[in-house]
Amino acid sequence: MVRPIRRLLLHVLMALLATSVLALPAEAAGKNEPMVPQPPLLKIAASWSGEASAAGLQALPQWRPKLRAGCIGDPSAFAVFWAVFKPGSIAPRVDFDRHVVVFVARDSAYEQLAIVKVTLKDGTAEIVASGYRSAPVREDRLAVAAAVVRRAGIKLLSVGGEQAPVEP
């Protein structure tokens, strides 16, 4: 009598084991799909962060209000940007034949705002910035991060899902 019970228990355990093994691929469906290729990263050649006058940034022709960002492609525009961004200091040299300067701005409550990556896909440069809030907002100031990236192929800027054209 003991043998038939053992045999029955063995069959039940085998059936449970087979069911669980066969169920694994169904639970893992979709996990083995091919990965979607990520857009290429644009190397950040130089970067800066700090605070700037909100009115000064908003007066720049490169300012895109919907993005709270912009793209600078020539030395004279960069000099004006730098005078707003870092008043009283000399603007660093940028090879504008090969590069542009992209910048983002957030509330002044953000500290250590930085552009962490820029990707390029179909002419759209997507800017990803990071920082943390640590202070009360000052209405007249904005936290700013700027980065130098290669110029080739950038037609649109994208920040936070919003897009705007870049002036040549």
Side-chain angles (χ1 to χ4, degrees):
M1 187 74 170
V2 174
R3 282 191 156 194
I5 292 175
R6 275 190 188 167
R7 187 172 289 156
L8 179 63
L9 284 174
L10 184 61
H11 286 297
V12 169
L13 286 173
M14 294 294 280
L16 286 174
L17 182 62
T19 304
S20 65
V21 168
L22 292 174
L24 282 177
E27 291 174 8
K31 292 184 180 175
N32 292 328
E33 293 177 6
M35 289 182 53
V36 176
Q38 296 298 314
L41 289 173
L42 295 179
K43 181 181 177 193
I44 296 174
S47 63
W48 309 278
S49 64
E51 275 192 3
S53 156
L57 281 177
Q58 293 162 356
L60 294 173
Q62 297 81 12
W63 176 254
R64 300 290 174 257
K66 157 169 113 165
L67 303 179
R68 297 183 74 181
C71 183
I72 301 165
D74 65 81
S76 59
F78 184 60
V80 173
F81 166 79
W82 197 263
V84 171
F85 180 49
K86 302 278 186 180
S89 66
I90 298 171
R93 296 186 68 133
V94 175
D95 178 4
F96 283 103
D97 291 332
R98 296 178 31 198
H99 297 92
V100 293
V101 174
V102 293
F103 66 93
V104 296
R106 298 292 175 259
D107 296 333
S108 63
Y110 280 91
E111 287 193 20
Q112 296 184 0
L113 183 66
I115 294 176
V116 293
K117 80 176 179 179
V118 181
T119 59
L120 182 64
K121 181 178 180 185
D122 299 328
T124 301
E126 182 177 5
I127 303 169
V128 178
S130 178
Y132 63 91
R133 294 192 121 178
S134 65
V137 175
R138 293 178 16 212
E139 297 298 324
D140 62 331
R141 306 290 291 169
L142 291 173
V144 179
V148 177
V149 296
R150 75 176 163 84
R151 171 185 289 275
I154 298 176
K155 294 177 180 70
L156 295 170
L157 279 186
S158 175
V159 179
E162 297 285 339
Q163 291 185 347
V166 172
E167 292 180 9

